[in-house]
Amino acid sequence: MAIPKIKILFNTEDLVKRNKELAHEIAKVADKRLLVISVLKGSFVFTADLIREMSQAGLTPRVEFLHLSSYHEGKTSSGQVDIIHDVQTSVSGWDVLLIDDILESGRTLAFAKDLLSARGAKRVMTCVLLEKPHKRAVNVNADFVGFSCPDVFVLGYGMDVAHSFRELPYIGIPEDNTNLVQAGENA
Ligand code: IMP
Ligand code: MG
């Protein structure tokens, strides 16, 4: 895939600073020994940075991964969320912090939150790196939000377009996305 021109929306410095702030906000209210559940694939970079800031803020989280997929036709979510890979330990009785990259329609986060609550988590808090306002299809909010994001397609820092660009150390907007076809699986 040709590399598009990318306009930087949040640079590495912005991300480092906000991760530190979020970790301190989380440390004020979460159990010291909480269970972090990272929603794959999009949140793996954010989670990796955030848990290290959480450690600096005095927390000792366990970390699990939940790979979910919401299927899209073009850029419109069909509403179906599937479990690709489940967490490997019991969540029963745990103070859970669910981490995702973007809160858009809310279907992914609502699905994950309901699943973990139904499995007996003591509490399920949610943290998203980006929130796209005015896009919500279901009633769910995140307890911790990194940044409000304009209603444009973004990439980098774990987030992909057709499985590429996750490695970029910043979040950007492709200046010309006409050649960027989004794959059916959007995770
Ligand atoms: P929703 O809240 O269930 O609609 O889905 C949000 C998910 O869609 C996120 O976890 C991302 O994986 C994906 N997503 C939404 N907007 C973008 C974007 O601008 N870039 C990359 N992925 C996105
Ligand atoms: Mg995702």
Side-chain angles (χ1 to χ4, degrees):
M1 179 189 297
I3 295 179
K5 269 198 168 166
I6 295 168
K7 181 174 162 243
I8 295 181
L9 188 59
F10 301 110
N11 65 27
T12 304
E13 208 179 35
D14 300 328
L15 295 166
V16 170
K17 182 168 176 282
R18 190 66 189 122
N19 284 341
K20 270 191 209 309
E21 292 167 355
L22 283 173
H24 282 96
E25 285 176 33
I26 293 163
K28 275 189 202 151
V29 294
D31 284 2
K32 187 172 186 290
R33 200 167 153 274
L34 74 162
L35 177 61
V36 161
I37 299 184
S38 171
V39 179
L40 297 176
K41 299 175 189 169
S43 79
F44 79 105
V45 177
F46 175 44
T47 300
D49 283 347
L50 186 62
I51 57 172
R52 284 175 287 182
E53 293 298 345
M54 286 167 62
S55 167
Q56 296 292 321
L59 298 173
T60 54
R62 280 198 187 179
V63 184
E64 278 283 348
F65 300 93
L66 177 63
H67 188 175
L68 298 178
S69 225
S70 52
Y71 288 85
H72 288 61
E73 284 173 25
K75 287 184 181 164
T76 315
S77 169
S78 68
Q80 188 191 333
V81 181
D82 290 330
I83 300 174
I84 308 291
H85 175 87
D86 209 339
V87 296
Q88 300 294 298
T89 57
S90 169
V91 303
S92 180
W94 280 88
D95 196 20
V96 169
L97 180 70
L98 195 54
I99 299 181
D100 203 0
D101 53 357
I102 302 191
L103 175 56
E104 198 175 49
S105 75
R107 289 191 184 98
T108 309
L109 206 63
F111 175 90
K113 217 178 153 177
D114 290 350
L115 180 78
L116 301 168
S117 299
R119 289 177 178 176
K122 184 174 81 177
R123 170 172 66 168
V124 183
M125 291 184 293
T126 51
C127 177
V128 295
L129 176 60
L130 303 177
E131 176 173 37
K132 288 185 182 174
H134 319 301
K135 298 287 282 186
R136 215 72 81 248
V138 298
N139 186 19
V140 62
N141 284 310
D143 298 297
F144 307 97
V145 176
F147 301 97
S148 179
C149 179
D151 185 17
V152 289
F153 205 80
V154 296
L155 49 75
Y157 200 63
M159 292 171 286
D160 71 312
V161 178
H163 307 293
S164 296
F165 311 112
R166 294 192 198 271
E167 74 284 8
L168 299 177
Y170 51 82
I171 297 172
I173 305 169
E175 286 191 349
D176 175 10
N177 62 9
T178 47
N179 294 324
L180 300 174
V181 180
Q182 203 191 350
E185 179 199 335
N186 186 348

